[in-house]
C-alpha cells in the first residue's frame, strides 16, 4: 500500500542518513567494486538453502508441480495417505546448476483437508513452521554458536494450492492462510487449472483476490523497490494467484517435445503462457525473487517470531523507570529461577530416592528374614533326617554284628567238621611219603 | 540455456536434472541486493607518528579519507595518551557504495614510557563489539545493525631494518585475538631490496616465535585453494610500502610517487614497493573475508566470553574506568 511504501522509504532514509557522512570522490580505480563478487563467491562456496512448503488438499498435484518446477523426478515412494490428521513430510535434495549448489527442501502436507473435522488442520502446519524458527532461535541464543554454517530449515515460501472449483475459496483455505500469513511468505496458486475455462478462471481469480483482501490475508507481494525488477514484479503481482498445471510427461508438439497433459480434445502445454501461469510462477519463485523470499523470511517473519517468543518469555528491551534491561540480565534472573526450581526438583527426587531405598531395604530385610527361617527349617529337617539315618545305621550295625556272630559260630562248626575229616588227608600224605 | 549438472543424491532420495531451472540466477539476485544496501568497512591504523599512516590510507583509497584530510587541524602536540579518533566517508565505485571509517590512534608509541599504550585501542575495539552485541540482543532489532567493529588493523612497523621492537610484539600479541592485524613496513623506501627481504624474514620469524598470528590466520583457511593462496600472501607479509598522494610524470604516464634526487619511487610499481600487493590483497580480494573473520570469529569470541561472565551484560557508562580484560 502507499502508506507502507512511504513509511518504508522514510525508515530507510533515516537509518541510512542518521549521520550525514561526507561523500568524497575517488581519484582513480580503488577496486572495492569487486565487493559484491567477493561476497557472492563466498556464498557460492557455502552453497544455498531454499525451503518450500506445499499446502493443499490431497490430489491437487503438489508433488507433480514440484517435479515440474525443478525439472526433476524427485524419486521416492508415493506418500501414504493413511495417517490420521495432517502430517508434514519433508525431503531434501541437492541440486546444482553451473557453480551454484542448492539444498532444496520440499515439505508436503499429507492429509490436509481429508478429515471430517478440519478445525485443527492448520495447527500442525503452524507448529512445523514455528519449530524451524525455534531451532534457528536456539542456535542464535547459544553461547558458542556457528550461525554461518547453520543449515537453515526455515520455510522461505509457502505455495498454497487452491482447488479449482471456480467459485470461491473454501473456509479451510481462508482460515489456514490467515494463520500462516504472519509466519511465512504465502504464494497462492490455483492448482490443476486446466479444469477451468479461461473466462471462469478470470472470475475465479478476482473472487479469490477479493476474498483474501476482505479477510485481511497478507500474501507475498513481489518486491517493487528495485528498478530492475519493479516492472516485471508489479505486473506479476496483478496475475496472482497463478493458475498452474503440472506435468512431467512430454508430448510432441510440432517438432519439439514439451511438458504437457494430453486430452482427447487437446493438449495443455505447461510452458505455454496462453495455457497456464506455470512459467510466471517459475520466473517469480526462482529466477527473480528467490533471494528476496529468503531475505523476507529472515528479516520479517523470523524477527516477528523471535520478538514474540522473547516477549512471551518475559524479556523486554527497556524498563521505563531504571536503566535499560538487557536480555542477559533477565536471562540471568530466569536462569536463577530455573536453577532454583531445578534444585527443588532435585531435592524432591532425592527424597523420593531415599524413601525408595528405605522401602527396598525393608523388603530385603524381610526377604532375608524369610531366608533365615527357611534355612532354619531346612536345617532342622536335615537334622531330623540325619537322626533317622543314624538310627537306621545303628540298627543295621546291630544286624551286621549279629550276622558276624552267626558267621563266627558257623565257621567254628565248619572247622571242627574239617578237623575230623582232616586226618584222612594226613593219612594220604603219610602214605605218599612211604 | 545452460544445462545443469547431474544432481547429487541426498539421504532422502536422488533426483536427476532434466533441463534448466534457473537456480543459478540467485547469484545475480544476491549481487543486486548487496549493491543496493552498500556496506561498511572500518579500518584502524596504528603506529607512531611520522610513519605516513594518513598518506598510505589516502593512497589506498585514492581519496582524502584520513582524519588529517577531513579538515581536522593537524595536531600541534603529540597527545599525552593514546587517543582514538575516527572519521567516516562515503565512497562509491561501480555502483557500489562503501561507508569507510578510518580509526586513527594518535599518540601510540610516541611517549617516553609507552606502558600499556595498547589499552585504549583494546578498549575501543571491545566497545564496538559491545555496541553490536547490545543491538543484537534487543527484542526489536534494526533491519541492519550498524557495524562499527574494526575489520582490519594496519600495524605500521618502523623500517629500522633490524628487528621488531618490544612494543610491536606486545601490541600484536595482545590484539591479534580480537582484531585482524595486517603488519606493514612503513616508509620502506629507506631500505634496499635485500635489506627489505632480510628484515621481513626476521620480522616473520619473530612473530612466529611469539605465537602471533597476523591476518590471514592459518587456522581460518577455508579449503586447500584458500590455504595455497593465503600461504603465498603470508610469505610475502609484512608488505613493504610507500605512500604518496602526489603524481609525477614517468615515461609519459602520470603515476603516484615520491620524487627524490636519485629517482622517482613509484608507489604502484611492484618493483619499487609492495603497495599494489597490499591494495589488491586488502581491497580487491580479501575485503569481504576481513569482515567475515571479524564477524564470525572475533565477534563470536567476544560474545561467548561476555555471555559466560557471571555478571552478565552491564551498560558501559562514561565513568567506567574498568579495564576490559577480554
Amino acid at each position: 500500500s502507499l502508506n507502507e511504501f512511504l513509511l518504508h522509504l522514510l525508515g530507510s532514509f533515516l537509518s541510512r542518513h542518521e549521520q550525514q557522512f561526507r561523500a568524497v570522490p575517488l581519484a582513480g580505480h580503488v577496486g572495492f567494486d569487486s565487493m559484491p563478487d567477493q561476497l557472492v563467491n563466498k556464498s557460492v562456496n557455502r552453497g544455498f538453502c531454499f525451503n518450500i512448503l506445499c499446502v493443499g488438499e490431497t490430489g491437487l498435484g503438489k508433488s507433480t508441480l514440484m517435479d515440474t518446477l525443478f525439472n526433476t523426478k524427485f524419486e521416492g515412494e508415493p506418500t501414504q495417505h493413511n495417517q490420521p490428521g495432517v502430517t508434514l513430510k519433508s525431503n531434501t535434495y541437492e541440486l546444482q546448476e553451473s557453480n551454484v549448489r542448492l539444498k532444496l527442501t520440499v515439505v508436503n502436507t499429507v492429509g490436509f483437508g481429508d478429515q471430517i473435522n478440519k478445525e485443527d488442520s492448520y495447527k500442525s502446519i503452524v507448529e512445523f513452521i514455528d519449530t524451524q524458527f525455534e531451532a534457528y532461535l536456539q542456535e542464535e541464543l547459544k553461547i558458542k554458536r556457528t550461525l554461518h554454517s547453520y543449515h537453515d530449515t526455515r520455510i522461505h515460501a509457502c505455495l498454497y494450492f487452491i482447488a479449482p472449483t471456480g467459485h470461491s475459496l473454501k473456509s479451510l483455505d481462508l482460515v489456514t492462510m490467515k494463520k500462516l500469513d504472519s509466519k511465512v511468505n504465502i504464494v497462492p496458486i490455483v492448482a490443476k487449472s486446466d479444469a477451468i475455462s479461461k473466462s471462469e478462471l478470470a472470475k475465479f481469480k478476482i473472487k479469490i483476490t477479493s476474498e483474501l483482501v476482505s479477510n485481511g490475508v497478507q500474501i507475498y507481494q513481489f518486491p517493487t523497490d528495485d528498478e530492475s525488477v519493479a516492472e516485471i514484479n508489479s505486473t506479476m503481482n496483478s496475475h496472482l494467484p497463478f493458475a498452474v498445471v503440472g506435468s512431467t510427461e512430454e508430448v510432441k508438439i510440432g517438432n519439439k517435445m514439451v511438458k504437457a497433459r494430453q486430452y482427447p480434445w487437446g493438449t495443455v502445454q505447461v510452458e505455454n503462457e496462453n495455457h497456464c501461469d506455470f512459467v510466471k510462477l517459475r520466473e517469480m519463485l526462482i529466477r527473480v525473487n528467490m533471494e528476496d523470499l529468503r531475505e523476507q523470511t529472515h528479516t520479517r517473519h523470523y524477527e516477528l517470531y523471535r520478538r514474540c517468543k522473547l516477549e512471551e518469555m518475559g524479556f523486554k528491551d527497556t524498563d521505563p523507570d531504571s536503566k535499560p534491561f538487557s536480555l542477559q540480565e533477565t536471562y540471568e534472573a530466569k536462569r536463577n529461577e530455573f536453577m532454583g526450581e531445578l534444585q527443588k526438583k532435585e531435592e524432591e527426587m532425592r527424597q523420593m530416592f531415599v524413601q525408595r531405598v528405605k522401602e527396598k531395604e525393608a523388603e530385603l530385610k524381610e526377604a532375608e528374614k524369610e531366608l533365615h527361617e527357611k534355612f532354619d527349617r531346612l536345617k532342622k529337617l536335615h537334622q531330623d533326617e540325619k537322626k533317622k539315618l543314624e538310627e537306621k545305621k545303628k540298627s543295621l550295625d546291630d544286624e551286621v554284628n549279629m550276622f558276624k556272630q552267626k558267621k563266627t559260630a558257623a565257621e567254628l562248626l565248619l572247622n571242627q567238621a574239617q578237623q575230623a575229616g582232616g586226618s584222612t588227608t594226613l593219612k594220604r600224605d603219610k602214605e605218599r611219603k612211604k | 540455456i545452460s544445462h545443469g549438472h547431474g544432481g547429487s543424491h541426498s539421504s532422502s532420495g536422488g533426483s536427476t536434472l532434466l533441463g534448466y531451472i534457473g537456480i543459478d540466477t540467485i547469484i545475480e539476485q544476491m549481487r543486486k541486493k548487496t549493491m543496493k544496501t552498500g556496506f561498511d568497512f572500518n579500518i584502524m591504523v596504528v603506529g607512531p607518528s611520522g610513519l605516513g599512516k594518513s598518506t598510505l590510507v589516502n593512497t589506498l583509497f585514492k581519496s582524502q579519507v584520513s582524519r588529517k584530510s577531513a579538515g581536522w587541524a593537524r595536531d600541534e602536540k603529540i597527545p599525552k595518551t593514546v587517543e582514538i579518533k575516527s572519521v567516516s566517508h562515503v565512497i562509491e565505485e561501480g555502483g557500489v557504495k562503501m561507508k569507510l571509517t578510518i580509526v586513527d590512534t594518535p599518540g601510540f608509541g610516541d611517549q617516553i614510557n609507552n606502558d600499556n599504550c595498547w589499552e585504549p585501542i583494546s578498549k575501543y575495539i571491545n566497545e564496538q563489539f559491545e555496541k553490536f552485541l547490545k543491538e543484537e540482543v534487543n527484542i526489536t532489532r534494526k533491519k541492519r545493525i550498524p557495524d562499527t567493529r574494526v575489520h582490519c588493523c594496519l600495524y605500521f612497523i618502523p623500517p629500522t631494518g633490524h628487528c621488531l621492537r618490544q612494543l610491536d610484539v606486545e601490541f600484536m600479541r595482545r590484539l591479534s585475538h580480537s582484531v585482524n592485524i595486517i603488519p606493514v613496513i612503513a616508509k620502506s623506501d629507506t631500505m634496499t631490496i635485500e635489506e627489505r627481504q632480510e628484515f621481513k624474514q626476521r620480522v616473520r620469524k619473530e612473530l612466529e616465535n611469539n605465537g602471533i598470528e597476523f591476518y590471514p590466520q592459518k587456522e581460518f583457511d577455508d579449503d586447500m585453494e584458500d590455504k595455497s593462496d593465503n600461504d603465498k600472501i603470508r610469505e610475502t607479509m609484512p608488505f613493504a610500502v610507500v605512500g604518496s598522494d602526489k603524481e609525477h610524470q614517468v615515461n609519459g604516464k602520470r603515476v603516484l610517487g615520491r620524487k627524490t634526487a636519485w629517482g622517482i619511487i613509484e608507489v604502484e610499481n611492484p618493483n619499487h614497493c609492495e603497495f599494489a600487493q597490499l591494495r589488491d590483497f586488502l581491497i580487491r580480494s580479501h575485503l569481504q573475508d576481513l569482515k567475515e573473520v571479524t564477524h564470525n570469529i572475533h565477534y563470536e569470541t567476544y560474545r561467548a566470553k561476555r555471555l559466560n561472565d557471571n555478571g552478565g551484560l552491564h551498560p558501559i557508562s562514561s565513568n567506567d574506568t574498568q579495564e576490559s580484560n577480554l
Side-chain angles (χ1 to χ4, degrees):
Chain A
S1 77
L2 184 65
N3 277 335
E4 265 181 80
F5 176 68
L6 284 173
L7 275 170
H8 170 78
L9 197 66
L10 187 70
S12 70
F13 174 84
L14 284 173
S15 64
R16 244 182 281 175
H17 299 269
E18 266 161 6
Q19 281 172 272
Q20 275 294 357
F21 295 116
R22 190 160 70 96
V24 286
L26 299 176
H29 183 237
V30 175
F32 62 88
D33 54 350
S34 64
M35 185 59 158
D37 287 320
Q38 292 181 37
L39 197 142
V40 160
N41 283 340
K42 280 205 180 281
S43 292
V44 165
N45 283 339
R46 269 195 295 269
F48 302 91
C49 272
F50 195 60
N51 310 318
I52 303 183
L53 169 67
C54 293
V55 180
E57 290 174 2
T58 311
L60 282 183
K62 302 190 286 290
S63 312
T64 313
L65 186 68
M66 287 296 104
D67 283 351
T68 321
L69 210 54
F70 291 97
N71 266 340
T72 84
K73 284 216 183 294
F74 289 130
E75 289 151 30
E77 323 112 35
T79 26
Q80 308 273 12
H81 288 87
N82 51 10
Q83 297 283 78
V86 181
T87 53
L88 284 99
K89 189 156 172 278
S90 92
N91 289 308
T92 306
Y93 310 94
E94 297 204 15
L95 309 175
Q96 182 162 357
E97 229 167 42
S98 48
N99 59 346
V100 175
R101 282 174 299 121
L102 183 74
K103 241 200 186 92
L104 174 73
T105 301
V106 177
V107 187
N108 251 317
T109 52
V110 179
F112 186 75
D114 287 347
Q115 298 76 28
I116 294 172
N117 183 354
K118 299 179 244 214
E119 278 178 355
D120 294 340
S121 294
Y122 71 87
K123 285 193 183 151
S124 42
I125 304 176
V126 168
E127 216 176 271
F128 182 84
I129 296 175
D130 280 348
T131 308
Q132 313 317 311
F133 283 147
E134 185 64 30
Y136 190 90
L137 180 64
Q138 285 310 315
E139 183 64 30
E140 218 195 344
L141 289 178
K142 274 197 195 148
I143 293 187
K144 202 155 187 269
R145 57 189 192 180
T146 47
L147 276 175
H148 60 277
S149 53
Y150 179 78
H151 172 50
D152 194 1
T153 56
R154 298 172 296 180
I155 302 295
H156 301 122
C158 169
L159 293 181
Y160 195 93
F161 288 67
I162 299 168
T165 59
H167 301 306
S168 60
L169 285 172
K170 298 187 183 169
S171 46
L172 174 65
D173 297 335
L174 280 168
V175 164
T176 310
M177 280 198 268
K178 194 90 180 87
K179 290 279 178 199
L180 295 181
D181 70 354
S182 59
K183 293 191 173 287
V184 72
N185 301 315
I186 300 183
V187 179
I189 57 178
V190 177
K192 294 195 164 175
S193 63
D194 51 344
I196 324 178
S197 74
K198 241 194 165 139
S199 51
E200 285 173 348
L201 187 61
K203 281 197 219 128
F204 190 32
K205 281 195 184 183
I206 294 172
K207 190 84 207 311
I208 293 174
T209 315
S210 74
E211 281 192 315
L212 289 174
V213 165
S214 60
N215 281 279
V217 176
Q218 303 270 16
I219 58 172
Y220 176 73
Q221 294 294 312
F222 305 120
T224 49
D225 47 358
D226 182 343
E227 321 84 49
S228 56
V229 293
E231 207 186 306
I232 187 173
N233 275 345
S234 62
T235 316
M236 291 296 182
N237 277 329
S238 64
H239 282 282
L240 285 170
F242 294 134
V244 295
V245 171
S247 174
T248 49
E249 305 287 315
E250 292 201 324
V251 171
K252 192 157 187 175
I253 304 281
N255 54 1
K256 280 204 298 176
M257 293 299 282
V258 295
K259 289 195 273 270
R261 286 177 61 76
Q262 201 162 44
Y263 293 105
W265 48 87
T267 309
V268 180
Q269 295 157 44
V270 168
E271 281 169 300
N272 184 332
E273 292 201 58
N274 286 327
H275 289 193
C276 75
D277 297 330
F278 173 81
V279 169
K280 292 190 176 72
L281 175 68
R282 183 180 57 198
E283 195 73 17
M284 285 294 99
L285 194 67
I286 303 174
R287 298 185 189 176
V288 177
N289 299 303
M290 188 155 67
E291 184 57 21
D292 186 69
L293 283 160
R294 281 154 38 106
E295 200 184 278
Q296 292 291 329
T297 304
H298 181 63
T299 59
R300 196 148 58 94
H301 300 299
Y302 169 70
E303 283 299 309
L304 181 63
Y305 174 84
R306 177 182 175 275
R307 192 163 68 234
C308 292
K309 192 72 200 292
L310 294 177
E311 278 170 4
E312 203 182 293
M313 283 164 53
F315 297 123
K316 29 190 181 153
D317 271 338
T318 56
D319 186 280
D321 300 324
S322 56
K323 295 184 295 182
F325 275 126
S326 75
L327 195 72
Q328 183 57 16
E329 281 178 5
T330 331
Y331 180 72
E332 279 295 319
K334 286 254 160 199
R335 192 170 72 162
N336 289 337
E337 190 188 307
F338 175 71
M339 294 299 254
E341 266 192 47
L342 204 70
Q343 254 179 320
K344 202 169 74 174
K345 273 222 169 77
E346 205 182 299
E347 192 54 45
E348 265 175 49
M349 281 189 79
R350 193 178 321 163
Q351 299 281 29
M352 195 163 67
F353 180 72
V354 167
Q355 180 67 14
R356 281 263 195 85
V357 166
K358 276 207 183 107
E359 281 173 23
K360 196 75 186 184
E361 220 176 350
E363 264 176 52
L364 284 171
K365 269 214 171 86
E366 191 62 44
E368 197 181 12
K369 191 161 144 219
E370 263 179 57
L371 267 171
H372 275 298
E373 280 174 16
K374 195 169 180 186
F375 177 71
D376 284 339
R377 268 201 313 271
L378 280 171
K379 192 168 169 190
K380 184 155 185 303
L381 220 72
H382 172 255
Q383 277 177 335
D384 286 343
E385 283 283 325
K386 192 172 174 189
K387 195 162 166 212
K388 267 200 209 135
L389 279 168
E390 275 178 359
E391 276 173 20
K392 265 209 171 134
K393 186 177 182 215
K394 188 162 184 291
S395 72
L396 207 70
D397 280 339
D398 287 344
E399 269 188 52
V400 167
N401 282 339
M402 248 197 332
F403 174 73
K404 272 195 179 147
Q405 283 177 348
K406 279 196 180 149
K407 186 180 174 196
T408 320
E411 278 180 348
L412 208 67
L413 273 169
L414 196 65
N415 264 347
Q416 285 176 345
Q418 272 187 339
Q419 270 185 350
S423 50
T424 342
T425 345
L426 238 82
K427 258 187 192 165
R428 250 193 268 135
D429 277 346
K430 272 182 185 166
E431 276 177 22
R432 252 197 296 157
K433 272 181 188 168
K434 277 181 186 174
Chain B
I1 294 176
S2 60
H3 287 280
H5 301 171
S8 53
H9 291 261
S10 73
S11 53
S12 25
S15 50
T16 37
L17 284 181
L18 317 156
Y20 180 63
I21 307 168
I23 51 186
D24 56 357
T25 59
I26 195 169
I27 295 184
E28 234 358 85
Q29 297 176 33
M30 195 175 254
R31 187 181 282 131
K32 275 206 207 115
K33 275 201 184 278
T34 316
M35 288 188 51
K36 209 170 72 141
T37 49
F39 63 98
D40 300 334
F41 194 71
N42 311 315
I43 180 168
M44 180 185 263
V45 285
V46 180
S49 55
L51 280 184
K53 303 192 290 292
S54 305
T55 313
L56 184 70
V57 165
N58 285 348
T59 317
L60 271 172
F61 291 99
K62 292 230 163 75
S63 180
Q64 304 294 308
V65 284
S66 72
R67 192 174 52 88
K68 306 243 172 87
S69 329
W72 296 52
R74 182 175 169 85
D75 293 329
E76 294 289 352
K77 292 191 218 151
I78 289 171
K80 286 264 158 49
T81 57
V82 177
E83 294 177 342
I84 311 283
K85 295 213 169 122
S86 79
V87 68
S88 304
H89 294 96
V90 173
I91 49 181
E92 186 178 332
E93 188 176 63
V96 179
K97 274 202 192 70
M98 169 154 92
K99 177 168 146 265
L100 176 69
T101 302
I102 315 287
V103 183
D104 203 355
T105 55
F108 180 84
D110 288 333
Q111 266 57 262
I112 292 173
N113 181 359
N114 287 308
D115 271 345
N116 302 330
C117 66
W118 47 79
E119 273 169 18
I121 296 174
S122 183
K123 180 155 174 261
Y124 177 83
I125 290 173
N126 288 331
E127 273 167 8
Q128 309 320 305
F129 285 145
E130 185 68 25
K131 236 191 255 178
F132 194 89
L133 180 62
K134 279 249 159 73
E135 284 288 344
E136 210 198 356
V137 299
N138 267 341
I139 308 292
T140 312
R141 308 196 280 201
K142 297 201 176 99
K143 190 162 180 185
R144 244 187 98 208
I145 299 176
D147 193 358
T148 56
R149 300 170 297 184
V150 179
H151 300 126
C152 161
C153 172
L154 284 182
Y155 188 79
F156 285 68
I157 299 171
T160 60
H162 297 303
C163 56
L164 284 177
R165 303 169 304 159
Q166 207 188 1
L167 173 61
D168 302 330
V169 173
E170 276 307 307
F171 177 85
M172 285 194 268
R173 197 167 57 85
R174 283 157 193 275
L175 292 218
S176 59
H177 293 292
S178 35
V179 72
N180 296 320
I181 297 187
I182 296 182
V184 295
I185 299 172
K187 294 198 166 172
S188 64
D189 50 336
T190 59
M191 293 188 283
T192 64
I193 303 289
E194 294 81 33
E195 284 166 354
R196 190 201 294 172
Q197 288 302 103
E198 280 170 19
F199 184 40
K200 284 210 277 182
Q201 251 179 329
R202 269 197 295 272
V203 167
R204 275 200 302 273
K205 197 79 216 266
E206 220 171 318
L207 290 174
E208 197 186 315
N209 290 343
N210 281 283
I212 299 171
E213 274 240 67
F214 51 82
Y215 179 87
Q217 300 91 335
K218 285 202 190 93
E219 50 182 329
F220 307 138
D221 285 340
D222 281 332
D223 50 38
M224 289 314 285
E225 200 185 310
D226 233 28
K227 183 170 173 350
S228 94
D229 288 341
N230 286 343
D231 274 343
K232 286 202 200 91
I233 292 167
R234 283 188 282 260
E235 250 126 68
T236 325
M237 284 172 80
F239 294 116
V241 295
V242 172
S244 171
D245 46 11
K246 294 197 170 56
E247 284 190 338
H248 302 276
Q249 195 88 358
V250 174
N251 293 337
K253 283 204 297 177
R254 303 281 303 163
V255 291
L256 283 172
R258 284 171 61 74
K259 191 164 179 192
T260 67
W262 45 91
I264 296 181
I265 306 157
E266 296 162 53
V267 166
E268 280 171 297
N269 187 335
N271 293 326
H272 289 198
C273 77
E274 291 167 338
F275 170 83
Q277 267 183 292
L278 172 68
R279 183 207 42 216
D280 288 348
F281 165 63
L282 183 65
I283 301 175
R284 295 184 188 176
S285 62
H286 284 69
L287 202 59
Q288 177 61 17
D289 188 61
L290 280 160
K291 291 184 62 168
E292 286 198 3
V293 173
T294 306
H295 180 65
N296 294 332
I297 316 278
H298 298 305
Y299 170 69
E300 286 297 318
T301 310
Y302 176 85
R303 176 182 174 277
K305 205 154 187 189
R306 201 81 177 79
L307 292 183
N308 257 330
D309 276 352
N310 280 333
L313 286 175
H314 295 296
I316 292 180
S317 68
S318 50
N319 303 327
D320 205 341
T321 51
Q322 183 188 1
E323 197 181 286
S324 30
N325 287 318
L326 296 162

